[in-house]
Amino acid sequence: MKRRITFLFLICGILAPAGRIAAGDPDWSAPKKNHWAWKAPARPALPAVKNNAWVRNPIDAFILAKLETAGLKPAEPASRAQLLRRATFDLIGLPPTPAEIDAFVSDRDPQAWAKVVDRLLASPHYGERWGRHWLDLARFAESNGYEFDEPRPNAWRYRDYVIQSFNADKPYDRFIKEQLAGDELFPDDTQALIATGFSLLGPDMTDAANQSQRRQNTLDDMTDTTSLAFLGLTVGCARCHNHKFEPITQADFFRMQAFFAPAEFRRDFPVADKAQKSSFDEKMKAYQALAAATQAKLDGLESPHRKKLFDAKFAKLSEAARTAHQTPEEKRNGGQRELVAGTARFLVVSPKEITAALSKEERARQEQLQQELKQFDKHKPAPLPTAPALHETGKSPKTFLLKRGELKNPGDEVQPGWLTILSPGHRAEPVPIKAASATATGRRTALASWIARADHPLTARVMVNRLWQHHFGRGIVATPSDFGLRGIPPTHPELLDWLATEFVARGWSVKQMHRVMLSSATYQQTTSASPDTARKDPANALFGRMNRLRLEGEIIRDSLLAVSGRLNRKAGGPSVFPPIPPEAMKGAKEWKASADPADHVRRSVYIFARRNLRFPFLEPFDLPDSNQSCPQRERSTTAPQALALLNSTDVVAAAKALAARLEKDATGTDERITLAYRLTLGRVPTDAERRLAREFLVESPLHEFCRALFNVNEFVYLD
């Protein structure tokens, strides 16, 4: 009986022989070995098509060839107004203005469309729109999650790094290298240091009793997210045992994790450039010289009490934590460094505690000295900027395969290495690694360089598929973070390979790929399908028409602000806290509305991203769970969405502001109706709509008419 239970556990993956886990199991079947995604993309020849007149660029040839094989025709072109609205939302996430619509509709220059695309790509709002897509993948949030959900005050710097990178059209291979190994490859570039925060964006249980386990959880998270975001693979499924469906072994998971093992997880790493540091040091020396005498007197008064309070706190730490703190910094192992970082806050002696420990006479003397110090405050420099980032000391701790993924159950030691299935001959060979410097092992440099290779089977394919997904509503591979055997096969594999090779040939330029996709006749189709197409291809897998998509919650809110004339277009900086409804305030730990009302109407990408309290207006519109990488947002249709668009304070305020704008910019009922339609829906009303609007406004105020337009499907859907 015992033998039978063990056998059942073995085949279910609950148990596995230790030796076999450590070695992996490269004896895969031919379908697993020969899966299309393991082979580097090769540039295909363009297919022959009958209707050459429809083809505007190579994308169209691949799409049309499949349609003609299925006996189908592409949809008619979208109208110019529809096309401008589509591209404007796609590229900058804001509605086009009536003036922009008129300019494009009347522009008969053959390059009119190309000029529109170039204008939108040059907008600073482009990075805000496309940076948001990447932040979903990176599981970006500004708090730790779990029970206490402490804020991460400087996490916004990573958000700004992403937005600026997209605006600058940073080559995607450089973008990869900065996020995985910016501190090793570009140590003097503060933006590259901030970029390494990618690995630390996941949830973090700072009060964990076992700090070694806390570090292991972070290592697991960064290994999993790196594979999902850059490679489109579910490597995380191999943490506890060999992957059940993909040719990925448990040893592969920990070999990949070994690249990250030397890293220290710094939550407040200095990210000042040389000029900032020099200026800070100079000002600090001047300040210290002025305040030295007074500060020495204050330190002499407080030091005995501070030491006594510290010793009492230190005694309460675990033996392991005390040992870690007592070990010289240069001799601490990775676990000890994490233990020190995690328990340091328990040793902080606050000014309030010191004051409470003083006698009455000492408190009076303390207050006098503090008043004397204040006269020097104007000479004290502001603290240097910090951000979550990875850092190394040059040490390479050992990495062990963990049986069943448990830290307490180590197996064989493993060395850094690529996934076996993507290695030459499917053999897990050690990777040659060259130290980047005396304080950097070069491991993450090796990983980043491998992922960013021009001939990598997955990297370029995965990224161009993500671009296609956001433009067309569905990826060529419909599972954008799963290119493995369990993922949905590509509908147009040759097109995917052409896009991947074109991406690399164009210097990994994301903006160039936008131009290619938007210049195609495929992108410029209407959303209306012929009866034949609707019957034969109801899911639009052949892209014989454009998909009609609902806008994300952030873009709906930004549109409300834009059309009502209230949008504050300020870019970057610390996140803002717009007011939230009183009922949400009950669980709103540390959510205090920003003091400046102008911050309440900034773009939604700048709203503080708290894990345990998502902004109430955005939440009903399928806001992703920031605890894990999100490759594709859900698109549900629920009652709370309708209620939010009808009753939320954001909508009511936008309706009143839009009504005021209409009264100012238009004269008479008909003119205001027309302008309202043009601002909200990007078109003029039909005769029937104009008649209904007139009848409505006889008995209802203008702001109620505006609110009604916000609840029209066209306002939240993109044709």
Side-chain angles (χ1 to χ4, degrees), residues 492-507:
H492 299 72
E494 295 83 8
L495 171 58
L496 182 63
D497 279 9
W498 185 87
L499 289 169
T501 55
E502 187 72 8
F503 187 30
V504 174
R506 289 175 181 254

Side-chain angles (χ1 to χ4, degrees), residues 74-369:
E76 293 296 316
S79 71
R80 282 205 158 200
Q82 285 178 324
L83 202 53
L84 184 68
R85 188 169 188 267
R86 179 186 300 171
T88 306
F89 273 113
D90 266 5
L91 292 179
I92 68 171
L94 293 171
T97 65
E100 290 168 345
I101 296 172
D102 291 343
F104 177 57
V105 169
S106 61
D107 189 350
R108 294 305 161 191
D109 184 341
Q111 295 301 309
W113 178 241
K115 289 190 296 185
V116 164
V117 174
D118 285 346
R119 171 177 63 81
L120 294 171
L121 289 174
S123 167
H125 296 306
Y126 162 77
E128 294 169 339
R129 173 58 159 151
W130 281 82
R132 179 65 264 178
H133 294 320
W134 185 263
L135 294 175
D136 283 1
L137 279 173
R139 79 271 189 240
F140 175 76
E142 298 177 82
S143 66
N144 290 327
Y146 295 106
E147 181 182 359
F148 296 106
D149 200 28
E150 306 98 326
R152 297 173 176 174
N154 295 309
W156 60 269
R157 297 188 194 278
Y158 176 82
R159 177 206 65 211
D160 281 5
Y161 157 79
V162 170
I163 291 172
Q164 291 163 13
S165 294
F166 275 96
N167 276 335
D169 197 20
K170 183 173 290 178
Y172 184 61
D173 58 341
R174 166 86 183 213
F175 189 58
I176 294 169
K177 291 175 180 178
E178 287 180 347
Q179 292 182 82
L180 294 179
D183 57 316
E184 292 187 338
L185 288 166
F186 318 105
D188 296 325
D189 184 342
T190 57
Q191 288 301 301
L193 299 179
I194 292 169
T196 64
F198 168 84
S199 292
L200 300 176
L201 290 173
D204 183 21
M205 188 180 289
T206 54
D207 64 330
N210 186 336
Q211 289 294 310
S212 295
Q213 183 62 59
R214 176 192 173 198
R215 175 179 171 81
Q216 184 59 47
N217 291 344
T218 302
L219 283 168
D220 291 344
D221 171 73
M222 64 176 62
T223 306
D224 187 18
T225 306
T226 295
S227 65
L228 288 169
F230 298 114
L231 301 178
L233 290 180
T234 57
V235 171
C237 295
R239 182 174 68 87
C240 302
H241 49 69
N242 291 344
H243 204 301
K244 291 301 171 186
F245 307 109
E246 310 290 349
I248 301 172
T249 67
Q250 190 188 17
D252 281 337
F253 178 85
F254 287 100
R255 277 194 289 267
M256 188 169 176
Q257 189 172 105
F259 288 109
F260 297 100
E264 289 186 353
F265 309 154
R266 296 289 299 273
R267 311 292 170 176
D268 56 351
F269 191 74
V271 289
D273 58 31
K274 289 181 179 179
Q276 286 175 303
K277 290 176 183 176
S278 177
S279 175
F280 176 84
D281 291 342
E282 187 176 324
K283 291 177 180 178
M284 182 57 75
K285 285 179 182 177
Y287 166 76
Q288 289 172 340
L290 289 170
T294 306
Q295 187 65 54
K297 294 175 185 177
L298 185 60
D299 289 343
L301 175 68
E302 295 179 346
S303 289
H305 301 283
R306 181 180 288 106
K307 183 178 184 308
K308 187 175 180 180
L309 290 165
F310 177 87
D311 290 344
K313 291 172 181 280
F314 188 78
K316 293 179 181 179
L317 296 180
S318 67
E319 183 178 351
R322 292 198 301 272
T323 300
H325 279 276
Q326 291 169 334
T327 302
E329 185 175 358
E330 66 277 7
K331 294 184 178 180
R332 290 173 187 156
N333 59 35
Q336 287 179 319
R337 287 194 291 271
E338 283 298 298
L339 201 54
V340 168
T343 57
R345 62 195 177 97
F346 298 122
L347 300 177
V348 174
V349 178
S350 69
K352 186 176 180 180
E353 289 175 309
I354 293 174
T355 300
L358 299 176
S359 66
K360 184 177 180 181
E361 293 77 13
E362 288 173 326
R363 278 199 293 272
R365 178 59 174 159
Q366 180 196 48
E367 186 175 351
Q368 178 189 353
L369 292 170

Side-chain angles (χ1 to χ4, degrees), residues 38-59:
W38 313 148
K39 301 169 186 175
R43 194 172 183 84
L46 298 187
V49 295
K50 298 174 184 176
N51 184 13
N52 278 300
W54 187 76
V55 175
R56 296 188 183 180
N57 71 21
I59 287 175

